[in-house]
Amino acid sequence: MRKATAPIVAVIVVGAGLAIFFALRTSPEPVTSTYFLMDTVLTIKTTGGDAASINEHLYALASDVDSMTSYYKSESETVRVNTAAGNGTVSVSPEYAALLKAAVAVEAIDHGSAFDIAISPVSSLWGFTTKEFRVPTAKEILDTLAYSHSDQLVISGTTVQLRDDRARIDLGGIAKGYSLDVMEEYLRTIKPQPRQVIVDFGGNLLLYSRGRKRDWKIGIRDPRGQGIIGYVRSGDAFVATSGDYERYFERDGRRYCHIIDPSTGYPGTLNQSATVITDIQPMHGAIGDALGKIFFCSTAETQRSLFQEVQSQGTVGIVIVDATGTESTLGLITFVSTAAQ
Amino acid sequence: MKRSDRITAVVILTAVALVVVFWIVMHRTPGTLAVVQVDGKVVASVDLTSRDVQTLHITGVLGPLVIVTDGKGSIRVAEATCPDQICVHTVPARSPGDQVICVPNRMVITVEGKGTGIDALAQ
């Protein structure tokens, strides 16, 4: 009797031990949701907590930001401000006024020469708002530039005015980053906290972990080819990238990207991409988004001096791929090139 | 050693071996797979390790799309009914995390699989 039961007992003991081992090491599976918003894709990957409903709520928050800031949706605050251009003041929500003020504050970092929310009449000239692309004449650009500057925008409390009737604002350059701010603010209030959340909004990232414990590995997209050129490591952060490779058109062998340099009225050509990593602080998603455009439209020399200024304000680091395809970094970040591996 | 002890030893070793095999099967790196989604729903999965050139005809929100693989691990959109043709001009997807997106058609191709060790892609 004993002889026959011994192996069976052994199998049961081993099996039970392994079952416990497997059960203990099982981690929650991430839930990934994909949405379409602001003319791009929003992908949310949540691990732990009530992941599916967290994803839905985050999408709803981003959708609200879109309804508020959209350049196209007739009920948005942007459209209300633009429609009233040259025709007195418009009363806006406190959130919208705060976002405008944040945008104007970032513009001030480089005196509006590389980022300007009022450049949109020039973008329209190139066809980026209608997708009927064309290369405007130098005179058209110069004439339009005359009123395509944020000094047309007067903000007083929650009252906003565009002075020239042809002036227009477009918050497309910071709305995605601002959505990440709103999402992060909500994530902090959730109980129990999800283990980690990765929000990818058209390539702009929010990396969030419970207790801010995670060390993230962020791939930098190769602006001219497949895959990545390398990666950087960072704690929880907002990551914004401006590049010339996603939205552009070509005429006579030249590439014209959608990021218009406000100092010239022409698409930026100094760099192929600029990735800005900012720490988790209020509005740093929006600010990082705008800084991406600023660094994208700046020379290496300007980038260095600008970085001195923004480093103390929560910018952790910047990865730049210049027009020749050479990468460089600013700040205390280590870029690991895949070519070096 | 008693006969029953030997049996016990053999049974335990067999159990351990089975678990190891099971473990490896469960945790092997998945073959590179491209997942095609329309409006957030998976409409197709494509094996990128296949040497065959594969052609997929799917329906986006706006109209039909033709997706092709090259038999060497890349996938791209060959034809699409969208005004800007951004998806058709996108560099073919190949590495895990690569995407080809057609916003007007609400279509996303994502290459899945482990290998890069990257948490997220800044682009």
Side-chain angles (χ1 to χ4, degrees), chain B residues 24-35:
Chain B
I24 291 168
V25 169
M26 289 299 284
H27 289 82
R28 69 180 168 188
T29 307
T32 316
L33 191 77
V35 176

Side-chain angles (χ1 to χ4, degrees), chain A residues 2-3 7 10-11 18 22 25 34 36 39-41 131 198 202-203 205 207 214 216-219 221 225-228 231 239 241 245-246 275, chain B residues 2 4 7-8 11-12 15 19 23 27 37 39-40 74 84 86 91-92 94-95 98 101-103 106-108 116-123:
Chain A
R2 205 192 70 83
K3 279 181 187 176
V11 167
L18 286 164
F22 273 97
R25 71 171 297 285
T34 308
F36 291 83
D39 207 14
T40 190
V41 180
K131 293 183 178 168
I198 300 171
L205 310 172
L207 304 170
R214 192 84 157 74
W216 301 93
K217 210 166 161 183
I218 307 158
R221 159 86 191 262
Q226 294 171 329
I228 59 169
Y231 65 85
V239 185
T241 301
Y245 48 83
E246 288 220 311
T275 299
Chain B
K2 276 191 259 175
S4 66
I7 292 172
T8 309
V11 166
I12 290 173
V19 164
W23 177 270
H27 289 82
Q37 288 180 300
D39 217 4
S74 289
D84 47 26
I86 287 175
V91 182
R94 183 184 182 83
S95 315
D98 279 1
I101 295 166
C102 182
V103 173
R106 299 183 166 239
M107 191 284 312
V108 185
T116 62
I118 294 297
D119 294 308
L121 182 61
Q123 62 179 341

